[in-house]
Amino acid sequence: MTLPDFDRLKALWEDPEFTEVAHWQARHPGAPVVGYLPAYAPRELVYAAGGLAVGLWGAGPQVEIIRGDIYYQSYICRLPRSVLETAPALGAFSGVIFPSICDVMRNLSGMWQILFPHQWAAYLDLPQNFSSETGGRFFHETLIDLATRILGHPPDAAYSQRLAQAIALTNRQTDLFRRLAGLRSKFPWKVPMDEWYTLLRSALVLHPEAHIPMLAAYLALAEKRDSRPLDHIRVHLAGAFCEQPTIGLLKTIEASGCYIVSHDLLLGLHWFTAPLKETGDPFESLVDGYLNRSGPAPFKYCGPREKAETFLALVREHRADGVIFAAPSFCDPSLLDRTLLREALETHGIPSASFKYAENTCQYSGIAEVAGTFSDSIRLWPKES
Amino acid sequence: MSLCGCDVGTGAVKLAVMAEESHDLLFCCRETLRKKAPETAVNRCFDAAARAGFPLDGFSYIAATGDVTAVTARTGTFFAMTCHARGARHFSPEAMSVLDIGALHMRAMVLDPRGKILSYKMTSQCASGMGRFLENVGQYLGLGFEEMQALSLASEDPSPLSAVCAVLAETDIINQVSRGVPMADIVRGIHDAMAQRAVKLLSTAGLIPPLAVTGGLAADQGFIHALSQALSASGLGLSLKTHETSPFAGAIGAALWGGTRLGSLKKQVGSR
Amino acid sequence: MIATLGIDLGSTTCKAVLLSKEGKVLGRGITNTRADYRVSADIAAREAILDADLALLGSLGRLSTETLTLTERRLRLAGFRRRLQILHQALCRVMDRTAAPGLADLARDVDKALDAGDASNGAHSRVLDQIMDRSLFFRDIALALYLDAARLRGSLDEETLATGLAKALAATENTVFSKALDETAATDLPPAVRPLIPKLAAIRPRIAGQIGTGYGRALLPFPETEIRSEILCHGKGARYLFPDARTVLDIGGQDTKAIQLDENGLVASFFMNDRCAAGCGRYLGYVAEELGIGLTDLGPLACTACRAVPVTSTCTVFAGTEVRSLLYAGEKQEEVLLGLHRAVVLRALSLLARSGGIFDALVFTGGVAQNQAVVRTLKEYLAKDHADLTLHIHPDAVYTGALGAALYALETL
Amino acid sequence: MDSIPMKSPSAKHFQKQILDDYFDRLASARDRGQKVVYTFVPGNLTELILSFDLLPVYPEVNALQSALRGDSGNFVKRAEMAGHSEDVCSYVKCDIGMMLLGNTGPAGKPLPPPDLLLLSYTGCFTFMKWFENLAALYDCPIALLHVPYQAEGGVTPAMTRYVVRQLEEEIIPAMARVSGRPYDPEKIRAMCALAAQSESLFVRCLESAQHVPSPIDSYFGGVFYMFPIFTAFRGTLEAVKYYRLLLEEIEKRIRENRTAFTLEGDLPEERYRIVVEGPPNWTHFWELWKLFYRRGAVVVAGSYVRVGGIYDNGFRHDPDHPLESFARYCMGCYTNLSVPARVDLLTRFMEDYKADGLVVHSVKSCNSFGAGQLLILKEVEKRTAKPCGFIESDLVDPQYFSRAHIKNRLDAYFQMIDERRAYHDRNPGH
Ligand SMILES: Nc1ncnc2c1ncn2[C@@H]1O[C@H](COP(=O)(O)OP(=O)(O)O)[C@@H](O)[C@H]1O
Ligand SMILES: Nc1ncnc2c1ncn2[C@@H]1O[C@H](COP(=O)(O)OP(=O)(O)O)[C@@H](O)[C@H]1O
Ligand code: SF4
Ligand code: SF4
Ligand code: SF4
């Protein structure tokens, strides 16, 4: 067993031409390829149709933005710009899913209808009502519509069977993600942040069947790694559920003395706190997953007290010394959540630090300073008892 | 032997030499960075120290902060805010908050009684209203650092600045000159705009008085005056501390942290 | 003869164009707008008139090119010396008394440098070239002369002198003084020219209409009816220079404009950058200042690079720091500079795209069109997506707005 | 004075009277024991709220009124001091800042704290975050109505069912709990009938701008006309009376062939008929208006006077199916429309209102309006071949209004129209 080739994996998602997807398509003629934007989409619906779901999570700093800037004023985050910049490379996609996480994403779904009429653009209205009869029923209907889109016809019994298999498949993947996160949380030095992140992010481009063996192999090796712990503090990183920071930024945080022991980066890939049901109506399993098994997120409504409590529980579970709030510039959901969560932390005496970034932020000195001071203030002055 | 702290900022390099035992400040100097490589400025500072009787080999610890790579002789490095907090406490032991305002950044820190940084805020992304901006305006108006202070203090009718951008404000200022607004009022208007940004940053960080101001702008009496007025206008308890060595707080703090590290290093060696 | 005057009061420079009734450009003037706007407008207008006078002289006396060049040089030099005098007086006023003897020495050195340049008579002298170069302004040349002289002598502290000069320059730039030919009728004009001067007044065109435009147009002492938006003026000017113009890109000091013209030359849509000055001329100028590189050297330097290091800061001020830290990290200066220029081009391209794309012929105007690296990079990008496109850049690119304004003034006659 | 016979009051006067009365009732609500509901303008459930004898408070309206009075800058600053980012919607910050500074309402009287936060999650995601933040500040129940988005340009039965169920299961019980009253279907029916009347009158007022010259400015004037119907009065007799008065006045103006009303009397000459997309700037509202009317520009139609709900397409509150009509109303408000549907609507306005062009006013605060506006502009330009202009500022943060920038762009825009007209006059064939 060897470690995965991380450089190759990085190249996969940094590739604005989506070459890997084209290769997959060449191997699977006629199979649908469906893009999905942050933060959560039921990828299983695509896998069940024999297709490939590709996460469009921004194109990173190396893409020069021209086309993207045509449609967006300066006060809007960078994510939709870089997605639009690379959009022409998505010509062979059959459609794109826009989960309901914010107004920018919501409006992008309509812009897509105008700009790329040859593709379907499905807005995925995640319910904010969590009763299974009301929100659940609405979501069920939404999922059937989406499956119809993907298949080109309403889902039948055979499809349902394949959907159940797809759910089992992603369950295996998310289970590995959970184990990886557990290992990292316990022994951060065994799973360097960039490797963890790369493994997660490559799941946006690779089919789980290709991804799972790699993940399993990595996990086996990492568990046996004997590297030395550093004198770092443990932090939870919050706010980056949508637009992604660069790996350099994550490494900077770590190099400034903070182990990121948990985070909401690429949230949709790892936000189920328990496996989805593998028996019964698979659509219901997805509904149940969303309603009852998904973790907290800025785009998901919950009473403010509950929000604070789940957040505090998360921080405690990972024994984080503090929280770093890193939000994309101009990201309303993330930034407005921050004030609430920070207050909750404050009342419980948990320190926090915050900064904003964009996916093309490559100047790290300010961030190093924020993270470094944070680490210093916790390490040099231990908590008073 | 003495401790040396070197703070390589974006606007200037500051160097402080302190006595190892008494922590007395023995020497300090400053070298601006305009059109110079940081290394050159750092070397000039060390040369100045040597001329004043503090050669490189007389330092038991050389602590660097800021753009630390420019200090090739460094023994260890510390983060800027950690240093500024320590430095501020050194000359104003009662300070509970610190505002560091330099060439491109503004940092607000709130400390606990032990000097631990409880919370902090830093400007990023936009350099409007910082020291470099003031320098540029000075160049346009043909005013030196000292003259600007005197003018600002003399102003009776500050002329508010509409653009806060460091670049666009130039045009705004030219406009004002064109309209015949007195120089004093223009400068004071700028100081006011800067002070307002500082107040906002301080209150976001949760300011607790008394407040110590560090960094290059601490030496600018016009700004300090505007700041104290802005603070009282926004109802934030006022008691401002500055000290002639405030601009060197970062370097002083670094030197002191160097001393702390030296102490623990010695202990380690001794225990072996 | 009657003529119209167009004035484009930009954020960094003020341009004036004198246009004959037949629509022929008679003269151009340009100055920097660091000082009082009205003064700048006045200086630019006078420069344009002087420029026209020189052309008239040529037709009056069938003078040789050499004589004309010499005349122009004499005139400009005389003007320059007069401004130097004012500067020197201002400098003495603002500087510490103890510096006075040193200042006197410096003034003498500066004069000598000018004399030496003049004496070379026809042969190239750097300072004379600078004085003749329209893209350099009194401020830049005088500052360099003084600082060079001080460096040679080593008598005065550079930083103190620089501050003093800045202050004195501000005062000097607010003083209007005429450069019209008859008044300067300097004794050292070529003999063939002197008798023509009195005749000049008789045939000099009368300004029958004027239009002001540009960023600071609201501050021009013009009535509302004599003011036009710079969008229209740039469109009109560009169309005059290139009748096939459909898309106009103007990059000035603080704003970038993308303008679309329809087949009749009417403005169909336009976009300007938002409030932040990032990506415009000042973005480049600021970094040039930070690095101590002359604005005019910036482009040529960047052109020597074969790869660009990305500069991601959109903030003008932070771009300066980023460039420095990139240099410090060992990146080559020219490659970083090319990256900086690329950032300007990218911004311009998205603005163009926002305004509706690029049709047939693209006219690039404004001060930044004189920057080779920007032009080169722009061409590279255009070659990718618009292979058959013509990119027009006129030597008078910087005057486009003023030209448009003068054309509008013609329409009002 | 007494001898002068009482004429019927002007619409403006009447509006002031009912608004004053509303603010008085708000100020005294606590003492009188009347309960208060905070909720949002887009797709609001005023009839439902009023039927439980609850008083609605609209934080957006408070924010915009603070801005008109020049207080919003302070409020925004205060909220930023409390840790809110510069990047987020200034309505939220203005509201939170106002609350932190004593919650003095637009009428200078303290606003009662909410007894219920009715989070109608319509047309904007920020609403959810806004009320989550408010709920942390006030200790009161919060009821959420998730309104699905018309992503595909229509409402499906599943969507309607979803909203109706939430009304039945969440919203109505919450209101009943807070007010201590049962749901009163008769009252609702009566109010829906009145609402439908106001709506028809309001549409006629707006459509009067199709007349040349337009008797009203549908943006700068329109935002005042829309207050009663989008806030606490739809479904009441007062609203019906107000819109009757307004319509009479407008019809009189049409008969007299008068141009739109401005701050300085009637517009001397209607030179440009403009459609505006986007909300106005409130901190410099009058200044912005001046930049339009001083050049002879009148806004004949716009999206903003439809933020609360769109009645132009024939929608009316339905006494026979009140809950379904509430659902359709919520889903039909402007910002809940897909981008293509917004393009269609604006294009139609351009034609129906004989407009010379479209001006997009983009505000930094609002992604709901803003994200995609540039594409909307392009599409409308393409479909109507009319010139479109673009200006930027903010809602209630005064920092982001730059008069010089806006003037510069508007100057160019109007001159561009002039040029085209002059050309076509010179070359009639084209
Ligand atoms: N003697 C001085 N001469 C010029 N500027 C000064 C002086 N003292 C302080 N300043 C101001 O201080 C700023 C630099 O502050 P500093 O804290 O040294 O910056 P940084 O730490 O960012 O390098 C300058 O931009 C200038 O405005
Ligand atoms: N010779 C030159 N070479 C390169 N760039 C130049 C040159 N001359 C002017 N520029 C650039 O042009 C800008 C000024 O352009 P201009 O169109 O005159 O601006 P404005 O109209 O805003 O005053 C300057 O900021 C500078 O960057
Ligand atoms: S980064 Fe934030 S604002 Fe931007 S699309 Fe994602 S969630 Fe929306
Ligand atoms: S507004 Fe000015 S200072 Fe701020 S980012 Fe833009 S250029 Fe920089
Ligand atoms: S984002 Fe827009 S719609 Fe939402 S609250 Fe703010 S202003 Fe209103």
Side-chain angles (χ1 to χ4, degrees), chain C residues 195-264:
Chain C
L196 300 176
I197 302 285
K199 292 191 200 152
L200 200 58
I203 59 159
R204 184 180 282 144
R206 184 178 61 82
I207 297 178
Q210 60 177 9
I211 293 279
T213 185
Y215 187 88
R217 62 181 182 274
L219 289 162
L220 285 171
F222 289 12
E224 183 85 18
T225 48
E226 292 182 6
I227 299 221
R228 248 344 152 275
S229 152
E230 67 252 45
I231 297 287
L232 292 165
C233 291
H234 273 276
K236 194 151 197 114
R239 191 77 173 191
Y240 173 91
L241 297 175
F242 301 101
D244 61 340
R246 286 299 296 276
T247 305
V248 183
L249 170 68
D250 170 64
I251 310 185
Q254 288 193 358
D255 45 31
T256 303
K257 316 176 198 43
I259 307 167
Q260 303 290 352
L261 304 175
D262 65 11
E263 62 277 18
N264 305 316

Side-chain angles (χ1 to χ4, degrees), chain D residues 89 91 124 126-127 130 365-368 395:
Chain D
C89 172
Y91 266 0
C124 166
T126 303
F127 285 165
W130 185 345
S365 274
C366 188
N367 290 345
S368 186
L395 291 166

Side-chain angles (χ1 to χ4, degrees), chain A residues 138 180 270:
Chain A
F138 174 70
L180 189 60
H270 59 107

